[in-house]
Amino acid sequence: MSTTYSMLGGEGPDSYREHSKYQGALVIAAKEKINEVISAKLDIDSSLNLINVADFGCSSGPNTFNAVQIVIDAVEQKHKEKEFQVFFNDSSNNDFNTLFKTLPQGRSYFATGVPGSFFGRVLPRSSLHLGVSSYSLHFISKIPNGIKDRNSPVWNNEIHCSGSSEAVEKLYFDQYKTDVGSFLNARSQELVSGGMLLLLGSCRINGNKFFESVEGMMIDYIGTSLNELAKQGLIDQEKLDAFKLPIYAAQEDDLKQIIEANGCFTIEAFEKITHGKGEYPLDTNYLTLAFKASLGGSIAAQFGQDAMEKTYELVSEKTEEMLPQLAKAKPGIQYLIVLRRN
Ligand SMILES: C[S@@+](CC[C@H](N)C(=O)[O-])C[C@H]1O[C@@H](n2cnc3c(N)ncnc32)[C@H](O)[C@@H]1O
């Protein structure tokens, strides 16, 4: 069963559109390096009239529009007078309506939506020239066996892989390794030889635990708040026991090794990018809303809209109380990885 979750759609005050500036800042910070690598390393047939670009895990904007425009601008510096077709990919429960309604006016590309899991093929063989994927590769395709089952020795009593149990972490990591391998295999079939794949996102500094990061701490507060609601009888304990977020924050070296082991790509760049917004700001409202926009949808799907709203009231209180601890969180790495299809 797929456990893909969606960001909060629409254009409302709690939507991912409104609260994804942190994620959006990375591709802007990486723009110069993207220009440089595309200019030096993109190796596609210069007689082509049409260049195909795809964003894997596009959500409902506006970050995806910036990402594809940055890629197109970089290609245009090298290959003049081309037409561009952009494939916006996300899972089928993504808010594609908002994406299409808010497509930039005057854009210089044709737009197509491609629903489906990026762990499999979503485009025809050898049809893609450039792919990008930003803040999406930390999703895993399913929760490993045993993790959701209270009677299993590897039942995870937390809602995510915090790193506090080695046995649990190993299962999530194995799933992540399989999934990133599947993602790379699918892209390697879709991309033409010499085409490029740009991966952006965040990972852990080797040796750091996820629970030491701001993201890990915020998800812990969400878990604590859900437990509080279960104790009050406002949500079902069994449903909470089975509620696990399908995300895994890899260590830098592990991610590099998975790409190298796949063997379909040459790593043209593996850069740490100084993020436009640095670490998350220590602001209760900002943090609560950012984590509501990205995870609130899955909580509402499992426990209902009211319970989700109540959860985030508690998360806000907890975040305020824990600001001194959040200030001591260990930083992560924001990366740009550029791969060229062999
Ligand atoms: C945090 S959002 C990032 C959105 C956007 N790329 C950005 O940088 O703001 C991650 C996106 O990946 C999508 N996603 C997760 N698993 C997926 C899968 N297996 N196939 C396609 N999309 C997936 C989610 O639905 C979500 O829209």
Side-chain angles (χ1 to χ4, degrees):
M1 185 186 76
S2 166
T3 50
T4 301
Y5 292 109
S6 299
M7 306 298 101
L8 279 184
E11 297 176 74
D14 288 347
S15 62
Y16 185 75
R17 281 187 68 77
E18 289 299 316
H19 298 287
S20 53
K21 293 186 180 61
Y22 180 83
Q23 289 86 339
L26 178 58
V27 71
I28 294 167
K31 183 176 173 170
E32 219 169 287
K33 186 71 199 176
I34 292 174
N35 281 338
E36 196 185 295
V37 186
I38 287 184
S39 160
K41 303 287 183 180
L42 180 67
D43 181 19
I44 54 173
D45 178 359
S46 57
S47 68
L48 287 171
N49 289 322
L50 177 66
I51 296 189
N52 291 324
V53 174
D55 184 9
F56 300 95
C58 60
S59 190
S60 42
N63 297 345
T64 184
F65 304 135
N66 284 334
V68 298
Q69 196 58 57
I70 284 171
V71 168
I72 289 173
D73 289 347
V75 177
E76 276 183 325
Q77 285 177 28
K78 192 175 162 105
H79 297 281
K80 308 274 180 227
E81 290 171 23
K82 304 290 178 193
E83 290 201 309
F84 289 87
Q85 165 114 328
V86 175
F87 298 91
F88 292 98
N89 160 256
D90 208 292
S91 58
S92 48
N93 45 355
N94 181 53
D95 184 1
F96 280 102
N97 281 339
T98 295
L99 179 84
F100 293 144
K101 268 198 296 189
T102 57
L103 276 164
Q105 299 278 321
R107 64 192 174 277
S108 61
Y109 53 84
F110 296 92
T112 308
V114 180
S117 171
F118 54 42
F119 295 125
R121 281 258 309 280
V122 292
L123 293 171
R125 202 176 287 280
S126 299
S127 64
L128 181 65
H129 303 104
L130 282 125
V132 63
S133 186
S134 185
Y135 283 104
S136 300
L137 217 48
H138 55 286
F139 278 86
I140 54 175
S141 66
K142 63 176 180 143
I143 302 299
N145 288 342
I147 292 286
K148 287 181 175 190
D149 174 5
R150 196 179 247 275
N151 300 316
S152 135
V154 286
W155 176 62
N156 184 8
N157 64 355
E158 299 173 295
I159 62 167
H160 68 133
C161 179
S162 72
S164 60
S165 153
E166 266 180 41
V168 167
E169 166 116 27
K170 183 179 179 315
L171 289 179
Y172 275 88
F173 176 60
D174 288 348
Q175 186 61 50
Y176 175 82
K177 203 156 51 166
T178 303
D179 287 338
V180 175
S182 304
F183 178 93
L184 293 173
N185 285 338
R187 302 300 79 77
S188 75
Q189 291 175 50
E190 294 163 350
L191 279 159
V192 298
S193 172
M196 281 186 152
L197 182 58
L198 278 60
L199 305 175
L200 297 116
S202 63
C203 62
R204 282 181 285 144
I205 294 173
N206 297 327
N208 284 1
K209 298 283 190 191
F210 190 51
F211 65 74
E212 297 171 312
S213 66
V214 168
E215 291 93 333
M217 289 181 183
M218 286 302 298
I219 299 175
D220 280 343
Y221 305 158
I222 297 170
T224 321
S225 302
L226 286 166
N227 267 305
E228 192 60 44
L229 293 190
K231 270 197 219 127
Q232 293 173 20
L234 295 174
I235 60 172
D236 183 50
Q237 182 65 49
E238 262 180 43
K239 270 192 176 176
L240 177 54
D241 289 349
F243 179 69
K244 308 294 163 207
L245 294 168
I247 51 179
Y248 180 74
Q251 300 188 84
E252 179 189 4
D253 279 358
D254 287 338
L255 179 53
K256 201 177 275 172
Q257 272 162 24
I258 294 169
I259 297 169
E260 282 166 356
N262 173 269
C264 297
F265 295 92
T266 302
I267 301 180
E268 298 293 0
F270 199 116
E271 299 273 321
K272 290 173 198 165
I273 304 290
T274 306
H275 197 296
K277 291 192 179 290
E279 288 296 309
Y280 279 99
L282 288 175
D283 173 319
T284 299
N285 205 33
Y286 184 100
L287 286 168
T288 307
L289 287 172
F291 283 82
K292 187 178 186 183
S294 56
L295 302 177
S298 54
I299 294 172
Q302 179 84 345
F303 305 106
Q305 186 69 21
D306 280 0
M308 187 273 271
E309 296 294 348
K310 284 202 180 70
T311 304
Y312 279 91
E313 282 167 26
L314 296 178
V315 169
S316 173
E317 285 168 21
K318 190 88 187 148
T319 305
E320 182 68 23
E321 183 190 321
M322 301 303 275
L323 284 176
Q325 270 68 25
L326 285 160
K328 291 186 218 143
K330 294 200 175 161
I333 293 172
Q334 315 298 321
Y335 61 77
L336 164 69
I337 304 171
V338 183
L339 305 179
R340 190 165 50 84
R341 173 77 174 92
N342 294 331

